[in-house]
Amino acid sequence: MKATLVVLFFLLFAFVIKLFPHAVDAAPDPVLDIAGKRLRTGVDYYILPVIRGRGGGLTLSSTGNETCQLDVVQEQHEVSHGLPLTFSPVNMKKGVVRISTDLNIKFSAMTICVQSTVWKLENYDESTGQWFVSTGGIEGNPGRETIDNWFKIEKYGDDYKLVFCPTVCDFCKVICRDVGIYIGRGRRFLALSEKPFKIMFRKA
């Protein structure tokens, strides 16, 4: 009788897996820093380029005549790590940053501007034909009103890339593109691109 129950249990388990394959899916892989350790929520990290000789880490820069329009740019010099950042996944319970997961990215820095340092996708710039990554976003509160504030980290070979393709709103129509570097006005801006910005993470 006991053997029969065991067989029935495994048959039922196999049936459930077939009907609901995602019910037993493992969590996405964690994002690792250059020391091989998992990225943790609320901990400061630098986002650094993998390819050497093409600039340093990420920082803030005002654009044009607007002092408080702070865009995300890459440091010009490779030795500059830029500003530290924190990552806040849509689900903060586990404390681990995972690939393919919606998250907010925020600079751990004070500015003279009365706005947050949370990343957001800026409105389309017709003069350059670019969608730029700026700041002033809202942290948390996933949904239609914050759709521009969510990014993802994806594997890119042995390294990583940033992607804008939010899934925090089931009925919203969104752009899905890699985040790359746009060079203009003497700066290296983060913008949506066909060519991803290959990155790595270093604990600050």
Side-chain angles (χ1 to χ4, degrees):
M1 181 66 179
K2 188 175 181 180
T4 302
L5 288 175
V6 171
V7 171
L8 286 174
F9 172 77
F10 279 111
L11 287 174
L12 179 61
F13 183 69
F15 180 71
V16 169
I17 291 176
K18 188 172 183 179
L19 281 181
F20 307 103
H22 299 293
V24 293
D25 281 353
D29 290 338
V31 180
L32 305 179
D33 65 16
I34 59 174
K37 296 182 178 180
R38 297 180 175 189
L39 261 64
R40 309 292 302 188
T41 60
V43 176
D44 285 342
Y45 295 92
Y46 294 111
I47 294 180
L48 302 172
V50 171
I51 300 175
R52 301 176 65 85
R54 297 185 186 176
L58 302 180
T59 188
L60 290 163
S61 177
S62 59
T63 56
N65 297 321
E66 298 183 34
T67 304
C68 283
Q69 177 60 51
L70 297 176
D71 287 333
V72 182
V73 301
Q74 184 186 12
E75 292 276 14
Q76 295 285 357
H77 303 292
E78 183 180 329
V79 294
S80 299
H81 290 161
L83 296 173
L85 307 104
T86 58
F87 304 95
S88 303
V90 66
N91 183 353
M92 293 281 286
K93 292 181 181 179
K94 303 297 183 181
V96 176
V97 179
R98 298 185 180 276
I99 63 170
S100 306
T101 300
D102 289 292
L103 50 80
N104 296 135
I105 304 175
K106 179 181 179 181
F107 281 111
S108 299
M110 299 292 292
T111 72
I112 61 171
C113 303
V114 186
Q115 67 178 49
S116 76
T117 56
V118 176
W119 290 17
K120 70 175 183 179
L121 187 67
E122 191 55 91
N123 293 331
Y124 183 73
D125 185 344
E126 292 186 356
S127 65
T128 59
Q130 297 291 323
W131 293 87
F132 290 103
V133 179
S134 187
T135 57
I138 298 170
E139 190 170 10
N141 193 31
R144 187 181 191 88
E145 293 76 18
T146 64
I147 196 71
D148 293 337
N149 306 164
W150 298 93
F151 295 81
K152 294 179 180 178
I153 299 170
E154 301 282 5
K155 284 293 290 182
Y156 187 38
D158 293 330
D159 303 296
Y160 297 98
K161 65 179 179 178
L162 296 170
V163 172
F164 181 82
C165 189
T167 52
V168 295
C169 176
D170 293 334
F171 52 87
C172 296
K173 186 177 180 180
V174 299
I175 302 170
C176 285
R177 297 272 297 279
D178 290 327
V179 176
I181 299 293
Y182 172 81
I183 301 174
R185 291 173 285 178
R187 295 187 179 93
R188 300 175 66 86
F189 294 91
L190 249 64
L192 300 193
S193 174
E194 298 296 330
K195 185 178 181 180
F197 179 38
K198 186 181 286 191
I199 58 172
M200 56 187 176
F201 305 93
R202 177 177 177 177
K203 190 174 180 180

